[in-house]
Amino acid sequence: RSRCVFGYRQRLARSRRAMAQVQIFFGSQTGTAECFAEEIADEGKQNGIDCEVIDLQTFNKDNFALRKIVILVVSTYGEGEPSDNAVQFNKWASDPRNDGALAGQRFCVMGLGDMNYSKFNNMGMTTDQNLERLGAKRIYRRGVGDDSQDIAADFKEWKDGGLWAALKEAIAEVMNETGGTGFTPTMTAGEALAAAAPVQRKAEIHVFYALEAEADGAAKDICDSVVAGLKERGAIVPAVHSLADRKSIEFVKKLPRKSVALVIADCNPEGLCSAGRKLVRNMSLELDSKALSDKGLSLAYLAVASSKCNNSASSLREQLIAAGNGIPKAFERAGVDRLDAGIPPYVDAGVENPEPLVKELCAALASFAENAAPAEANGAAGAGATAEAGKAKRTKIICAGSEASEAGEALSGSWPGGCEPAEEASLSSLAAAAKERLQVVLAVQCSNDGSLSDAARGLVSQISNAPLALRASLRALRFSLLAVADTHYGNAGERASASAVLDELKAAAAPVTQALTKIGAVCVASACIDLQDAKPEELAEICANFCKGFSEEAAAATAAIQAPAWAPGSAPVAANPVVGKVTSSVELKMSPQENGLPKEAPGDASDVLARFYFEAGRAKVTKVRELRQKPEPEQGLATVEVEIEAEGNLKEYKLGGTLSLLPENDPADVEAAVKLMGLTPAHLGMWITLQPTAENPPGTAIKHPFPTPCTLGDALAKYCDLARAPTKKMLMALQPKIEDPAARECIGKLIADPEALKLLQGSQLCCRMCEFWAMLGVKAIAPVEFLLHCPRQKPREFTIASSPKASPSKITLCVSLSSHELPDMATACQRLVDSGCLPAAQLPSGRGRFYGTCSRWLTSRLKAGAVVLAKQRPSPLHLPEKDIPVIMVGAGAGVAPFRGFWEELKRGPQSAPAALFFGCRNPEQDWLFKEEMSGAVKLAATGCAALNRMQVGPKRPLTCLFTAFSRPGEGKQGQYVQDQIRAQSQSVKHWIEKGSGMVYICGSTAMGNSVLDALAELLEGGRDFVDTLKKEGRIVAEFWG
């Protein structure tokens, strides 16, 4: 199933029925915003308002602009960033070129964030401002939810403070403005087809300039003139970047397909300016040969000189042009073609008027951009919107084996219209082709014993063990399979029996097809060939059959897309068309063997957390080591160092970045859950998958709550949150299916009582999933119902404790066990019993300690060799570019990012002071990384003048280390890191005020706030100055708890 085609089918199906009165879009990283959006929709129905919940991952600017009334529930991630699924929406909404695009729309925003971060609720604030700038009308005040306090209470206060009245008033306005047809679709059948037609778009021109500031270079002035000239000619110039910016290489890497990079750089007889040289160096270090070749990029380059006289300008012209050639060569190495026709290569702004050349350059670039980008599908239709588009798709031949490569070259010469260069088969090449929606001819070599060649067998193994993210990508793959006979495949007499040989070839190649189709790829045609006997007409026939297969598959998708859309006055159409249907009616299939399950049903991830399961990489744990000198895990005192292989997407991890890790539930919770489902522990090894129920037509899609096939044990251990009480959504879904009338009544009262539900789900009670159902007296829940409706397990985030410079192949985490005493259940739940939400007779007592799900798993059960699901992303915890003082403050596991910092500083040129303030309980019990930390301190920090003059061994990056022990023992007075901040106030004040230093704080919220208070006491300007430093990014804080 092609995701873009399938998504359009869904949108088209929705256009056939009346549009909901209110659309609720959510941008969510961990599922909180999604839950709130669903809660608004549920309560909207109770208030007589038809609502629809939509994931911002599916954002389409044209569809979004059609909405009359929208609610945005958006979370802020990290330092003011959008959640992953809201990135594209935020990019579009922030673009001033789209001003006025939402005229006539009404909106309101609920923003979620954490007050501990400097850009608190930034996404909510900017979304609110952007929508108003885009022309939409605000109908209700912006909500602000603070996760460091009580975010659920903040949401409830906003929701119940006038939202429903505002929505009803807005609905009435829309109905009055449109004569009562405000929420019916106005798209006619012709408009629906027109929306699917290809349109020509201009190529974007991304401008980069390299200025030689010290030599009074002219590149920036000419850049400004060129940008103005391009915009006058209607060219699209999304951004202008200075090559002096350290992120310029990242902008080069992220250039969009078919765009133009225009580089304007100062140069002199000695060579490029420093900023230009920096780009050349970074491209050689960070970009492999031909790394950008698949993007179809173009380069326009202008070298700028500033000669003092005509004679020198004339004599040095060729030398200056040659001096600037480093940039074109760097782009050429990366696979970017240089534009020559009409593009002037050089201007000497010191002796000639650059205006005519600027006009010539702008005219040539604007003309090229007008026709450079390929036609693409309009609106929501996406790729494959018409049959012609399907025929015009690019084709790539991917080969497994040397004989297969020869066959691929022969086939490419016969392919109608030509095809992409043949490529060696690998998991990444298949996934890349699927991502680009290429038609793939997969040529596999079969050996003379009737089996696959080594290369083909290796490919099957890669596919079968593909990471979840790549498996998801491969579902979009459309391929034809070509089985190629080995040159030693039988003698001439055996080859004469062609039909027998071909049957053997088909059987030999079958494992490749099976491996791909099992994860959702589609084989549209197959053929066999023996190159020893192949004739040109045979190759032509194979090409024709493959083209036919691709065309028929594309036509089937197109036929569904081109079904007439509903229009006012036309005959009604079935609300749920067969093609592209998504059903919530699913059943659970189980088998002792994975190959005993049916083929996976098509469909996307059901929600934000499910998407994480599909996108996260599989990483191997290489080490788990206790860091405390005297751990006491039973008392909640354990801290471990976890090392994980940095493979796949994790290779790009950043200093101080964040690693999201999916935990596993306690085995006792898993066993309790399998018992609740009426099964035995023996069933945990059974393989499972979810399928549409029998009444659904073939090809019906489902929303996948987690990746399948998997074992029941994995589903319960990894994808179900068993350490929490049921959500309101789960209770509402299961209530009608609970057999016990008394239990159904209790659930009904619990759903209707928000305060009781809040108490049940609160962190104070820590009620576990199976604990709740046991208290309610429920003995059995159908397995499919439990797996579908149990809340999803959330990934946990940890600050990375390693440096990519020091340890590029591994990521280190530092994790402390989270634990506290549990309250007596009978006492804590008395409120629930009194309100009839729980039966009194079922309440247990004596519950012991609470242990955090993830921290308990990491500190006690995770072993080297295990495979975990993980994703990484940057964070604001990174070292400054300038050589300025660095002050690091961390307590306990909060030292994690600073371990990476001192590893990085050890390998860098920094000479400014770097001070670490570290706190723990006792130096002999829980001083984490003690030897490593002490060894990183400069010898001079001991106070010895002689040592100050010595250079012994490798660089020691820490100027000074200040420790604070809260329970030092032996009658010593305890200290905290904030006490050491005050004790070193003179140095700290100097580093911040005189040295423009940076402050990094990592640890618990209580510790962090105390450190901020101490800084406010010693700095001029007090709290106001501290707040200013936070806004400027000179105080970077990461708190938890």
Side-chain angles (χ1 to χ4, degrees), residues 251-327:
F251 296 131
V252 171
K253 292 178 185 178
K254 295 175 182 178
L255 284 169
R257 285 178 53 81
K258 298 296 181 182
S259 63
V260 178
L262 169 59
V263 182
I264 302 172
D266 280 325
C267 60
N268 55 57
E270 285 73 39
L272 279 168
C273 63
S274 58
R277 293 196 303 273
K278 178 181 177 183
L279 175 67
V280 172
R281 182 178 66 252
N282 288 341
M283 289 184 70
S284 67
L285 292 174
E286 300 189 33
L287 287 174
D288 294 334
S289 178
K290 305 301 178 184
L292 304 177
S293 59
D294 60 339
K295 289 190 172 187
L297 304 174
S298 301
L299 170 71
Y301 175 65
L302 179 64
V304 180
S306 300
S307 300
K308 303 302 182 183
C309 67
N310 281 315
N311 291 336
S312 63
S314 176
S315 62
L316 294 175
R317 177 183 176 89
E318 295 304 322
Q319 184 179 348
L320 289 166
I321 293 176
N325 273 340
I327 289 178

Side-chain angles (χ1 to χ4, degrees), residues 640-663:
V640 294
E641 174 188 10
V642 179
E643 278 187 7
I644 300 172
E645 285 185 353
E647 296 294 334
N649 292 334
L650 299 185
K651 281 184 178 179
E652 305 299 321
Y653 86 91
K654 305 296 182 185
L655 179 69
T658 298
L659 189 77
S660 298
L661 203 61
L662 187 69

Side-chain angles (χ1 to χ4, degrees), residues 701-722:
I702 66 172
K703 290 291 188 180
H704 292 272
F706 47 81
T708 53
C710 67
T711 64
L712 177 62
D714 278 348
L716 291 173
K718 297 178 180 178
Y719 307 128
C720 296
D721 191 348
L722 304 180

Side-chain angles (χ1 to χ4, degrees), residues 797-841:
E797 295 187 338
F798 298 95
T799 305
I800 293 173
S802 54
S803 158
K805 285 185 179 179
S807 307
S809 61
K810 67 181 181 182
I811 292 176
T812 302
L813 303 180
C814 175
V815 184
S816 285
L817 177 60
S818 173
S819 174
H820 59 76
E821 292 288 341
L822 283 168
D824 181 73
M825 183 66 82
T827 303
C829 288
Q830 192 59 49
R831 158 77 171 81
L832 301 177
V833 174
D834 293 342
S835 59
C837 297
L838 283 178

Side-chain angles (χ1 to χ4, degrees), residues 437-735:
R437 300 297 191 265
L438 301 182
Q439 297 174 161
V440 171
V441 175
L442 180 55
V444 296
Q445 178 179 334
C446 303
S447 63
N448 56 4
D449 61 357
S451 63
L452 289 173
S453 64
D454 291 343
R457 281 199 303 271
L459 179 64
V460 172
S461 177
Q462 289 182 49
I463 296 169
S464 302
N465 297 289
L468 297 177
L470 288 183
R471 291 168 74 95
S473 298
L474 288 173
R475 290 180 181 177
L477 182 67
R478 299 295 181 268
F479 70 98
S480 293
L481 185 77
L482 179 64
V484 182
D486 192 293
T487 53
H488 302 293
Y489 191 96
N491 56 39
E494 290 171 332
R495 293 200 306 274
S497 179
S499 60
V501 172
L502 293 181
D503 285 343
E504 291 176 14
L505 279 175
K506 288 179 181 177
V512 179
T513 305
Q514 291 167 0
L516 284 169
T517 55
K518 186 171 183 179
I519 58 179
V522 175
C523 182
V524 303
S526 62
C528 307
I529 190 171
D530 183 346
L531 283 179
Q532 296 181 83
D533 304 319
K535 300 177 182 178
E537 54 267 28
E538 184 180 352
L539 286 170
E541 182 181 357
I542 290 174
C543 290
N545 287 335
F546 284 180
C547 288
K548 181 181 177 183
F550 286 125
S551 296
E552 288 177 350
E553 199 276 336
T558 304
I561 290 176
Q562 293 185 338
W566 182 87
S570 65
V573 183
N576 294 304
V578 171
V579 179
K581 177 184 176 183
V582 181
T583 182
S584 58
S585 300
V586 299
E587 58 187 355
L588 182 69
K589 299 289 186 180
M590 301 181 69
S591 170
Q593 302 294 329
E594 183 180 2
N595 57 15
L597 295 173
K599 179 181 176 181
E600 286 295 288
D604 291 324
S606 61
D607 52 36
V608 170
L609 293 176
R611 193 178 302 128
F612 174 89
Y613 307 153
F614 283 98
E615 294 176 352
R618 295 167 62 85
K620 183 179 179 181
V621 177
T622 57
K623 182 172 74 173
V624 181
R625 175 175 72 99
E626 175 61 56
L627 290 174
R628 290 175 181 251
Q629 289 79 15
K630 295 183 179 180
E632 297 180 65
E634 298 79 11
Q635 300 302 314
L637 302 177
T639 304
V640 294
E641 174 188 10
V642 179
E643 278 187 7
I644 300 172
E645 285 185 353
E647 296 294 334
N649 292 334
L650 299 185
K651 281 184 178 179
E652 305 299 321
Y653 86 91
K654 305 296 182 185
L655 179 69
T658 298
L659 189 77
S660 298
L661 203 61
L662 187 69
E664 292 187 12
N665 286 306
D666 191 298
D669 287 327
V670 173
E671 288 195 19
V674 80
K675 182 180 178 182
L676 179 62
M677 293 191 293
L679 303 174
T680 68
H683 286 90
L684 293 173
M686 296 282 283
W687 286 86
I688 64 169
T689 188
L690 296 167
Q691 295 285 312
T693 50
E695 66 268 17
N696 288 287
T700 298
I702 66 172
K703 290 291 188 180
H704 292 272
F706 47 81
T708 53
C710 67
T711 64
L712 177 62
D714 278 348
L716 291 173
K718 297 178 180 178
Y719 307 128
C720 296
D721 191 348
L722 304 180
R724 61 174 294 178
T727 59
K728 181 179 179 181
K729 184 178 179 181
M730 183 182 188
L731 293 172
M732 293 175 67
L734 295 185
Q735 184 192 18

